[in-house]
Amino acid sequence: MNKRSKLKIISALFFSVILLVVLVTTIIVQTFAEDNAYVANGTCGQNLTWTFDNEGTFTVSGTGSMYGYPYGVPWNSLKDDIETVNIKNGVTSICEKAFSNCVNLTSVTISNSVKKIDNSAFSGCFVLESVILPDSVISIGNNAFSNCYILTNITIPDSVKTIDNNAFGQVKNIIYSENMNAEGSPWGANCANGYIDGVLIYSDVTKTKLC
């Protein structure tokens, strides 16, 4: 085998190794991206961050309260794509209009550290089906869950002390604990023709017992 043939073989082997390394690296990067894909992320409090992934899940994590955004939250452009909201332990408030008009939002998980749900936080989430309010919640703001037409039942924990105007407007059944002494007028539930056996349901203005 002459010198030129040896050089050709060495060159071919070298380029084959390079191509193999590139291919393996691409596969690793692609797999990592698929498993850890965040469409967008940012900060939403002094010690809070938010992420939105390629499965439609919006997550808030860290410690403390969310910033207020008088001109709209930074993720406004993503709202049509948010399907699930996950508020992690350590977060103490959900800001005004945080998830208002998230028209494809179906499920919300709120950790047991959240004390305040601000005005219109989830208003206009037309297909929201499920929300469990933790025992940590003290205050629920104006229109917090108004016009969530599919949300047919929501239980207010004993910890709640204030419920502001129309907080649950158009939510059919609001379940209040017999031990709860929250203040606020109107209480927010438009539950005409709505009832749940064995618990107390109130109308939005007079707190008339319906069942």
Side-chain angles (χ1 to χ4, degrees):
M1 183 180 293
N2 58 39
K3 186 176 181 180
R4 179 174 294 179
S5 297
K6 288 181 179 180
L7 286 174
K8 286 183 178 180
I9 293 171
I10 292 171
S11 296
L13 288 172
F14 176 79
F15 284 114
S16 296
V17 170
I18 294 296
L19 286 173
L20 181 61
V21 170
V22 170
L23 179 61
V24 170
T25 302
T26 301
I27 292 172
I28 292 173
V29 170
Q30 184 176 358
T31 301
F32 180 83
E34 289 174 352
D35 291 340
N36 301 275
Y38 292 132
V39 176
N41 60 77
T43 59
C44 56
Q46 187 172 356
N47 296 299
L48 293 178
T49 59
W50 64 269
T51 60
F52 179 65
D53 68 22
N54 58 359
E55 295 184 348
T57 299
F58 189 102
T59 302
V60 179
S61 57
T63 57
S65 59
M66 295 177 70
Y67 290 139
Y69 295 100
Y71 302 107
V73 293
W75 51 90
N76 261 339
S77 62
L78 302 172
K79 283 188 172 183
D80 285 354
D81 300 313
I82 296 175
E83 298 178 7
T84 303
V85 167
N86 188 7
I87 308 297
K88 293 282 194 178
N89 191 46
V91 181
T92 58
S93 73
I94 301 173
C95 71
E96 183 171 356
K97 297 184 179 179
F99 305 103
S100 61
N101 301 313
C102 287
V103 296
N104 292 302
L105 177 63
T106 60
S107 178
V108 174
T109 301
I110 301 174
S111 74
N112 202 37
S113 58
V114 172
K115 297 179 179 179
K116 180 179 182 180
I117 300 174
D118 216 330
N119 301 339
S120 302
F122 296 96
S123 64
C125 295
F126 304 134
V127 296
L128 180 60
E129 298 174 350
S130 173
V131 176
I132 297 176
L133 298 181
D135 291 335
S136 58
V137 173
I138 296 172
S139 173
I140 302 173
N142 296 330
N143 298 298
F145 293 93
S146 64
N147 299 321
C148 294
Y149 301 115
I150 305 299
L151 185 60
T152 55
N153 299 299
I154 189 165
T155 301
I156 313 300
D158 293 349
S159 59
V160 174
K161 302 303 179 187
T162 58
I163 302 174
D164 289 335
N165 184 53
N166 203 44
F168 300 100
Q170 305 303 323
V171 179
K172 291 181 180 179
N173 293 319
I174 313 300
I175 309 172
Y176 298 102
S177 165
E178 295 182 22
N179 300 318
M180 192 184 72
N181 294 307
E183 296 179 354
S185 178
W187 281 52
N190 290 336
C191 53
N193 301 317
Y195 69 93
I196 295 180
D197 292 334
V199 296
L200 300 178
I201 308 293
Y202 295 99
S203 63
D204 55 346
V205 179
T206 63
K207 292 192 290 182
T208 302
K209 189 195 295 189
L210 301 181
C211 61

